[in-house]
């Protein structure tokens, strides 16, 4: 699913898109953990090789000037295929370029997609044109010709658009545009793609964790906003906390050279994440207290009508940069998905 969002979409339509994406995730996604290789003569792909091939695909995306969605789908197909078969490392580049080529043919404009011979020559993938086409057929057969994978980037676009729809003044304090912020989030997501550790978390959880880390940099009420979106997406709180922690480590492995920084502005100086200023335990305690305090408020009736859904979305919208989301006004996800 390639998500194209713009300001013309209203709250109910975005909620419908979220429900559809969550349904696809439920039917097609499952957690996966790579078994580490203990010797150099490994007979199947391990976590390090998987991450290296994703980094290679990231470079190819820039080389061919493909959309980030193409990279996201490429990696989703790669991981799904590697879940289905025990692939030998010597075939990994051929598998990777085949997934990349399939994703390009699904998402890119036809004039942007090179021929099979050209992509073999330009990528130095180590396989012939015939081997590429043969591997494509193997992948399609294993995936039952189903290439419509919902990715973290799909959820990130939906969450970001939904948040701005409900909080039109969200970015006033940081003096940046929605497109610029989404571009930065997309770049950070590509850093996370190359970490096999995040495969334990669903695409919705990853997207929400990444957006929550971003909000933490410039919103004092980021916990309330995070909980509101979490209620809509039905993301487990322990999974969300674990995903946030893993993403922070992936994006900022060197404390002396932090990667996770927001775009500088006149009112905010670039710096390290707040998690470096506050003990992780204190943050976890705080978010757990928030869940406990608001547990009774987030339980809503599943019999809400479509008119109450529209009014609930309107109630979530407040004016000014100090706006806060109240989870008690959120509609149940079952109403959205139907």
């Amino acid at each position: 699913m390639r998500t194209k969002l713009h300001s013309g979409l209203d709250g109910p339509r975005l909620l419908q898109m979220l429900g559809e994406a969550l349904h696809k995730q439920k039917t097609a996604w499952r957690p996966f953990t790579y078994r580490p290789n203990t010797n150099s003569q490994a007979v199947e792909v391990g976590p390090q090789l998987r991450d290296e091939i994703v980094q290679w695909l990231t470079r190819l995306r820039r080389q061919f000037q493909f959309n980030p969605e193409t990279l996201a789908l490429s990696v989703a197909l790669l991981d799904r295929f590697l879940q289905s078969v025990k692939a030998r490392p010597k075939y990994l580049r051929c598998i990777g370029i085949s997934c990349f080529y399939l994703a390009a043919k699904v998402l890119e404009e036809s004039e942007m997609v090179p021929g099979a011979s050209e992509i073999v020559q330009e990528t130095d993938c180590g396989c012939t044109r015939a081997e590429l086409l043969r591997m494509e057929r193997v992948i399609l057969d294993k995936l039952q010709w189903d290439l419509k994978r919902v990715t973290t980037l799909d959820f990130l676009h939906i969450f970001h658009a939904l948040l701005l729809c409900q909080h039109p003044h969200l970015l006033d304090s940081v003096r940046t545009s929605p497109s610029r912020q989404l571009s930065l989030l997309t770049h950070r997501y590509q850093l996370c793609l190359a970490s096999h550790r995040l495969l334990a978390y669903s695409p919705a959880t990853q997207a929400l964790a990444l957006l929550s880390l971003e909000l933490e940099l410039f919103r004092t009420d980021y916990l309330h906003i995070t909980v509101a979106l979490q209620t809509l997406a039905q993301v487990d709180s322990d999974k969300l906390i674990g995903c946030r922690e893993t993403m922070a480590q992936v994006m900022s492995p060197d404390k002396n050279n932090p990667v996770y920084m927001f775009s500088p502005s006149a009112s905010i100086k670039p710096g390290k994440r707040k998690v470096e200023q506050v003990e992780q335990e204190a943050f976890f305690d705080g978010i757990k207290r928030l869940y406990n305090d608001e547990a009774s408020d987030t339980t809503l009736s599943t019999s809400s009508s479509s008119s109450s859904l529209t009014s609930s979305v309107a109630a979530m919208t407040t004016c000014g940069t100090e706006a806060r989301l109240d989870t008690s006004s959120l509609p149940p996800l079952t109403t959205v998905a139907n």
Side-chain angles (χ1 to χ4, degrees):
M1 180 183 74
R2 184 174 180 177
T3 309
K4 286 290 187 180
L5 301 178
H6 52 81
S7 57
L9 291 175
D10 57 9
R13 174 55 183 150
L14 289 169
L15 291 172
Q16 180 184 353
M17 293 174 67
L18 176 59
E20 292 170 354
L22 287 170
H23 176 71
K24 290 182 180 179
Q25 175 183 270
K26 183 178 180 180
T27 57
W29 178 86
R30 66 175 184 266
F32 182 57
T33 302
Y34 282 90
R35 290 178 292 184
N37 291 331
T38 57
N39 57 71
S40 58
Q41 304 298 324
V43 296
E44 61 181 287
V45 175
Q48 183 177 353
L49 286 176
R50 180 268 178 196
D51 291 351
E52 289 175 357
I53 207 68
V54 172
Q55 292 171 1
W56 178 59
L57 294 178
T58 302
R59 294 193 295 271
L60 291 182
R61 187 205 70 81
R62 292 194 296 266
Q63 176 182 336
F64 288 96
Q65 298 183 345
F66 288 163
N67 293 306
E69 291 90 345
T70 299
L71 175 63
L73 181 57
S74 302
V75 177
L77 296 177
L78 173 69
D79 288 325
R80 184 68 185 89
F81 181 74
L82 293 177
Q83 282 182 288
S84 305
V85 301
K86 292 183 178 180
R88 294 184 179 182
K90 66 178 182 179
Y91 298 126
L92 185 55
R93 277 213 166 197
C94 187
I95 295 171
I97 196 61
S98 299
C99 292
F100 184 75
Y101 197 33
L102 285 169
K105 287 190 282 189
V106 170
L107 296 179
E108 297 292 334
E109 299 293 338
S110 57
E111 61 268 18
M112 291 292 295
V113 181
S117 298
E118 182 182 351
I119 202 167
V120 167
Q121 181 179 359
E122 293 294 328
T123 61
D124 191 27
C125 58
C127 62
T128 65
R129 177 183 181 276
E131 289 170 337
L132 169 64
L133 297 178
R134 186 160 55 247
M135 183 60 73
E136 272 192 334
R137 183 56 185 261
V138 171
I139 293 172
L140 287 170
D141 288 342
K142 276 295 179 182
L143 301 185
Q144 299 179 341
W145 291 75
D146 179 15
L147 302 183
K148 296 179 180 179
R149 301 286 159 174
V150 61
T151 68
T152 298
L153 196 56
D154 294 325
F155 281 106
L156 187 60
H157 287 177
I158 294 173
F159 287 149
H160 190 259
L162 185 60
L163 190 56
L164 290 175
C165 179
Q166 297 160 354
H167 281 287
H169 302 289
L170 181 76
L171 303 178
D172 287 358
S173 63
V174 290
R175 301 179 185 178
T176 190
S177 66
S179 60
R180 172 61 177 165
Q181 188 190 46
L182 187 57
S183 177
L184 290 170
L185 285 167
T186 301
H187 171 70
R188 290 162 187 157
Y189 161 66
Q190 291 181 72
L191 295 176
C192 294
L193 268 178
S195 175
H196 65 278
R197 297 163 60 193
L198 289 168
L199 295 176
Y201 304 102
S202 70
T205 302
Q206 292 185 41
L208 184 55
L210 183 58
L211 188 57
S212 177
L213 286 169
E214 181 77 3
L215 290 171
E216 185 186 355
L217 295 174
F218 66 99
R219 294 287 297 199
T220 58
D221 59 345
Y222 76 95
L223 279 179
H224 291 269
I225 298 176
T226 299
V227 171
L229 290 174
Q230 179 192 359
T231 303
L232 286 174
Q234 294 185 335
V235 172
D236 179 78
S237 59
D238 290 334
K239 292 288 186 181
L240 178 59
I241 293 172
C243 189
R244 273 181 51 106
E245 182 180 10
T246 303
M247 279 188 166
Q249 294 170 357
V250 169
M251 291 186 287
S252 298
D254 183 359
K255 292 186 177 181
N256 296 320
N257 184 27
V259 174
Y260 198 82
M261 299 168 64
F262 191 73
S263 178
S265 68
S267 58
I268 293 184
K269 297 179 180 180
K272 299 179 182 179
R273 294 181 54 253
K274 288 183 182 178
V275 176
E276 295 181 17
Q277 304 171 13
V278 181
E279 293 294 332
Q280 288 282 357
E281 293 80 2
F283 167 73
F284 292 161
D285 290 343
I287 195 170
K288 287 178 179 177
R289 283 198 301 271
L290 182 61
Y291 286 118
N292 292 335
D293 292 344
E294 298 187 357
S296 59
D297 295 333
T298 57
T299 303
L300 301 176
S301 172
T302 58
S303 62
S304 300
S305 63
S306 58
S307 60
S308 66
L309 170 60
T310 304
S311 62
S312 296
V313 173
M316 293 170 63
T317 307
T318 55
C319 298
T321 58
E322 298 300 322
R324 298 170 68 91
L325 285 175
D326 180 2
T327 57
S328 63
S329 66
L330 298 176
L333 189 61
T334 52
T335 305
V336 176
N338 290 337

